[in-house]
Structures are given as C-alpha cells and as structure tokens.
Amino acid sequence: MIDLTNKADVPSLGLGYLRPDGGKGIRNVVLVAYLVECARHVAQKIVQQFDEQEVHLIGFSGCYPNKYAETMMKALCTHANVGAVLLLSLGCESFNGKGLLETVQATQRPVKLIGIQETGGTGKAIAAGKAFIQQVQNQIKSCARIPLTWSDLIVGVVSGGSDATSGITANPAAGLAFDKLVSLGASTIFENTGEMVGLEDDLKRRATRSDLGIELKRTIEKAAAFYEAMGHGSFAPGNAEGGLSTLEEKSIGAYCKSGSAPIVGLLKPGDKPTVPGLYLMDIVPDGKPTFGFPNPNDISEINELIASGAQCVLFTTGRGSVAGSAIAPVIKIMANPENYYRMEENMDINAGKILQDEASLDDIANEIVAKIQQVVAGEKTKAEQLGHFEFSLAYKFFEPLGPSCLA
Amino acid sequence: MKKLFKINEQDNVYVVKVPLTKGELLEIEGQQIVVPYDLGRGHKLAACDIPKGEQVFKFGLPIGSATIAIQIGEHVHLHNLKSNYLPTYSKDDRFNQ
C-alpha cells in the first residue's frame, strides 16, 4: 500500500521535456495542424508518413472566423507536450495562420506554415511538409530533459459513456485521486458545468475566496440558463432506469470526480492555472446559445482541459469509451466490472473491482495516482498503444474571465 | 460479499452493488428486508426511516426530498423522491409530476 503522506513513498515522475518558454511536457509530439477543412487531406497525408512516431493531426474545420478556435489552437500548439508544429493552410480561409505562426515562433518551437495554394497544390505541399517534419524530428530529440515534480503537473478529468456504476466507483475514486494529487502539489481541473446544476451552493462553499465563490455559483446558473434555452435537460429516461432519481443525483455522480479539495480558481478553455490546486473549468459559452451544445463530444472536452495546460487527462467511463488525444495521454478508468473485462484492451484502471469487493475506493485512487506517475514517466496508456490520437474543435463563444476567477 | 454499500457516511440510502432479485432477503441495520422486485445495480434502498419532506442524502449531499414517508429498506426512487430543482422526466407516466 502506498502512503502518499510518507515522502519516501512518493514516486518519481522521471524526466520531462523542458521547453524554451518554460513549459514542462511529458511527451514530445509534433503537431500537424490544418487551419480549414480544405487543408485536412494534405495534413493527414503528411501525418500518415510518420506512423507510430508521435506525429499527430489536429485542426479547425471552419472557414468563418472564431476567436475561441484561434485561442484554442494557440494554446494547443504551444502546449508543453508539443515539440514542433506544422501548419497547413489552403490560403483563402479566414483563420489567422500568420498570428498562430507568430505565437508558436515566440515560444522558440520549430514551426512552419505551408500554404497549399502558394506551394502549388497537394503533392508539393505534402513533400514540403514531410521534409520539414524529418528535419524537426532530429531537432526536438535534443530537447532538454529535467526531473519533474508533482507541482509541474496539471491533470484534468472528464467522463463519457457513463452508466449507473460511473457515479459510485470510477468518479469518486477519481475524486479521491484528485485529492491526493492536490496534496502532492499538482494542479487539477474538472469541468462540465452543464452537469453541475444543483451543486452551485456546494461549489460556492468550496471556493478559497468569497468573490470566487460568487463566480462559481454564477457559472452554474449560466449553465442552467443555457441548457434551458437549448430546450434540453441533462437527464434522460435511461438514467432513471439505471437507478438515478433526480437531476442533482446525476450531477453529484459526475461532480464527485472533483474530490473534496478547496477550489482555488475558475478557468475557461485556454486559461492556465496560476497556483497549484483544484480548478473548475467553465465550458458553457457566454451569451445567447449560438453554435449549439457546449460539449458536442467527449474529445472536445478533453481538448479544452489540454488547452488549459493539462499534460495528462483522466477519463472515467461505465459503458466504455475508447478515445485518446493527439496531444496528451488519456488514462481510462472503467467503472463497470463486466464492461472492464469486455473492453480490457482499452482500459488502464478497473474501478469496477470496488463492486466485487476486491478493492476500496482508496485502493483505486492509489492505483490511479500510480498510473499517472508511470504515464508521466513515459509508459504508454492503452489509448496511446492503440493509436487513439483523436482531436475535435468546434465553434464557441466566450467572454474573457472576470477578475476574481484566478488567484 | 456485501450487496449494498454506502458512498458517504452521512448518507441515508444504500446503493445496490450487485443486481438483486425479487424475494431475496437482506439485512439493513439489523432489520430483515425482503427485496420487493428485481433491482439493478445503482438503485437505492433507504438506510433508515426517512420522514416525508426530509432530504435524501447520497455522496454526502442532498439529491432531493422524500415525497412520502419512506421506511428503512424501501426502494428510493421516482415514486417517493423528487428533485429540489427540475422534475424528472420518465417514460413511465405514473412518475411524471
């Protein structure tokens, strides 16, 4: 049994990648980013030439401008896990490729912007992109390595494909693991304010500052109003068949992933933690609902956590998600014991053991912390082993954070 | 193996860990309970008598109020528990408020 209060038992995190801008990564990824759907094929062809070599595809499909998408792409292309970036533009889209190029250049990462029209079409753009990646792969191998400490780490948590077991095994175990991470000095982020209706007063109570508490409460009220305007309640009849009786019961089942630590700040996607501790991420857009549901899929939620600096993400599931990420390792925690054995290939942790009296919540929380340590030190997650490097980025609108949100 | 568990010590409901079948005998706080119908994993049974209007606690937090007096061992669900926020929509009309 690991006793995390005993210093000798606190496991080593191995060597991280020290970026010139001070970022500390746990992976050394080359990103190939298309800046409009029309450039995706060329970007994808380039990535395919580097199978199994940490060269991953991201991008934004829309041709219309969107500030959120540009903020997200800037945050992701300068993420601590990213060593170099290749940008693929068609040439006539409205995405500000030059602005993104300059942002990445300012962090001293190797970066190149290829315009497909300017380069002379598909074949030439692919050749140019391939040559650039071959060149930077050697360059980023020499990235400085430094021993990581827990305070260098930002860990996010999401859930997806939930069932009746999620709220009683994987989510509370992830919450206990979050408490342990915070006590080790790490930063942690939980999200999906759309599923916290009913918890606004508890969130307020957990804030370390009273003005932050008011912001947290307002965030949930905003989420409730947004979903009401969308005409969608976050409670399906299937939830009741699985034993959930009320909206707040479902909310708490998801909310317990946050553990019990005090909340030190409120983030919006792309905002970075300023001090160690637990953060809530507001994922619900500001203003009138304009671009649809706040969380169109699990992958976009993972991405928003990564855009706020998470080097690694915990993902709890009951039915069995298979998702990974182009930028950060995703650790799968399966809540349901039968589904664990059905989908063991995709699962890193079996929290279903709790229901079979084979483990306590605390045992699983310790397993999660140990797994994070191994993954940070370089061990591949199941998603990474299977080549799951998903990415998704949709249109959204956010106002900037208010002054009382961060310490 | 225990078939029920309490998530938080403050809770007044137990959560079903393994599917229960109708007629099965259980012991809750020293009292014999007969399972009234098949109950899947994740369903809740009262850990004590819960008077009408009282809050039901799970995860140490209120998940709604009792709409009628609930006896120890009784199934706690849409027929005796309501949200303090939005009514729960069910495909079974008996439970739609």
Side-chain angles (χ1 to χ4, degrees):
Chain A
M1 175 70 67
I2 316 163
D3 174 12
L4 294 174
T5 56
N6 178 351
K7 265 210 160 135
D9 277 1
V10 174
S12 150
L13 292 164
L15 295 177
Y17 298 88
L18 179 64
R19 306 298 172 195
D21 62 349
K24 292 172 184 173
I26 65 169
R27 294 293 183 267
N28 204 17
V29 177
V30 178
L31 288 181
V32 180
Y34 57 90
L35 306 183
V36 63
E37 182 64 21
C38 317
R40 180 207 283 262
H41 173 73
V42 167
Q44 204 157 317
K45 278 283 176 195
I46 294 168
V47 169
Q48 281 167 2
Q49 322 248 346
F50 299 93
D51 198 26
E52 310 280 324
Q53 293 178 56
E54 275 198 298
V55 178
H56 301 154
L57 183 71
I58 72 167
F60 182 63
S61 290
C63 192
Y64 292 88
N66 185 247
K67 198 164 172 293
Y68 159 80
E70 299 211 350
T71 303
M72 286 287 292
M73 288 292 277
K74 282 180 181 170
L76 295 168
C77 288
T78 58
H79 187 278
N81 288 355
V82 175
V85 185
L86 172 63
L87 305 173
L88 264 300
S89 153
L90 177 62
C92 45
E93 73 277 2
S94 53
F95 195 100
N96 183 1
K98 192 163 166 283
L100 178 54
L101 177 75
E102 284 165 2
T103 301
V104 183
Q105 273 168 344
T107 68
Q108 296 178 44
R109 282 175 174 78
V111 58
K112 186 182 175 75
L113 172 63
I114 295 176
I116 299 171
Q117 292 163 346
E118 195 187 341
T119 312
T122 300
K124 285 179 184 163
I126 292 172
K130 190 178 165 189
F132 172 76
I133 289 177
Q134 280 166 338
Q135 173 208 324
V136 298
Q137 273 186 316
N138 285 321
Q139 213 174 323
I140 65 171
K141 267 184 203 149
S142 59
C143 177
R145 305 296 301 269
I146 40 138
L148 290 173
T149 63
W150 290 92
S151 61
D152 295 324
L153 280 190
I154 305 173
V155 180
V157 68
V158 292
S159 49
S162 300
D163 73 4
T165 63
S166 301
I168 54 180
T169 61
N171 291 352
L176 273 176
F178 253 35
D179 289 348
K180 291 172 196 275
L181 292 173
V182 168
S183 69
L184 288 166
S187 291
T188 52
I189 314 174
F190 68 113
E191 51 87 65
N192 210 347
T193 45
E195 287 188 357
M196 287 174 205
V197 175
L199 294 158
E200 49 282 348
D201 289 318
D202 198 64
L203 282 160
K204 189 175 168 206
R205 177 190 66 76
R206 288 173 68 185
T208 49
R209 305 178 301 280
S210 61
D211 53 351
L212 171 65
I214 294 164
E215 286 290 339
L216 295 176
K217 185 167 175 164
R218 252 188 224 146
T219 298
I220 307 307
E221 287 162 355
K222 178 185 86 172
F226 190 98
Y227 276 91
E228 203 175 311
M230 294 293 288
H232 168 86
S234 182
F235 195 99
N239 293 138
E241 285 154 25
L244 295 176
S245 309
T246 63
L247 178 66
E248 54 268 44
E249 181 182 7
K250 182 181 170 181
S251 293
I252 301 165
Y255 174 64
C256 62
K257 296 195 296 293
S258 68
S260 59
I263 299 169
V264 299
L266 176 68
L267 305 170
K268 290 183 183 182
D271 299 317
K272 307 286 193 307
T274 48
V275 293
L278 174 68
Y279 290 79
L280 171 65
M281 178 179 282
D282 176 13
I283 60 136
V284 174
D286 293 305
K288 278 190 304 188
T290 309
F291 299 118
F293 289 107
N295 48 347
N297 56 54
D298 297 337
I299 320 291
S300 349
E301 291 181 52
I302 294 173
N303 244 336
E304 290 181 334
L305 292 166
I306 295 170
S308 282
Q311 295 112 319
C312 161
V313 175
L314 305 177
F315 191 125
T316 65
T317 183
R319 297 178 69 92
S321 163
V322 299
S325 153
I327 299 164
V330 177
I331 296 172
K332 290 284 166 30
I333 306 165
M334 172 51 97
N336 182 310
E338 284 86 29
N339 291 345
Y340 177 81
Y341 293 110
R342 186 176 298 138
M343 296 191 67
E344 197 171 349
E345 179 189 28
N346 296 91
M347 299 300 145
D348 296 288
I349 302 275
N350 178 11
K353 285 190 288 188
I354 293 165
L355 294 176
Q356 296 172 319
D357 281 347
E358 287 167 19
S360 67
L361 279 173
D362 197 55
D363 295 336
I364 302 297
N366 283 329
E367 272 188 44
I368 295 169
V369 174
K371 180 57 75 177
I372 293 170
Q373 178 262 325
Q374 289 155 4
V375 166
V376 168
E379 185 188 292
K380 286 189 173 182
T381 61
K382 292 287 181 70
E384 288 179 297
Q385 290 167 29
L386 294 163
H388 278 283
F389 300 113
E390 281 86 351
F391 186 83
S392 169
L393 179 60
Y395 281 93
K396 264 190 172 184
F397 173 77
F398 282 102
E399 302 276 6
L401 272 184
S404 32
C405 297
L406 292 175
Chain B
M1 167 166 141
K2 288 185 184 143
K3 296 187 171 179
L4 304 173
F5 85 125
K6 208 181 250 192
I7 296 176
N8 187 292
E9 279 177 23
Q10 292 174 45
D11 294 351
N12 51 11
V13 290
Y14 279 102
V15 175
V16 174
K17 258 167 73 173
V18 286
L20 302 175
T21 43
K22 182 181 172 177
E24 216 177 304
L25 283 178
L26 289 177
E27 203 180 274
I28 294 184
E29 315 294 351
Q31 292 213 32
Q32 287 274 320
I33 306 293
V34 184
V35 177
Y37 32 78
D38 291 356
L39 281 175
R41 196 177 256 157
H43 281 261
K44 301 173 289 298
L45 299 179
C48 56
D49 290 339
I50 306 171
K52 181 180 173 178
E54 284 288 297
Q55 298 297 299
V56 172
F57 282 85
K58 183 183 166 191
F59 307 99
L61 291 167
I63 59 164
S65 344
T67 53
I68 52 172
I70 305 171
Q71 285 183 343
I72 186 168
E74 248 187 90
H75 183 210
V76 178
H77 204 22
L78 308 179
H79 59 288
N80 52 16
L81 169 64
K82 69 161 195 205
S83 168
N84 295 327
Y85 289 82
L86 293 167
T88 300
Y89 170 74
S90 167
K91 283 193 238 179
D92 187 337
D93 268 343
R94 279 178 304 161
F95 299 134
N96 285 326
Q97 296 142 6

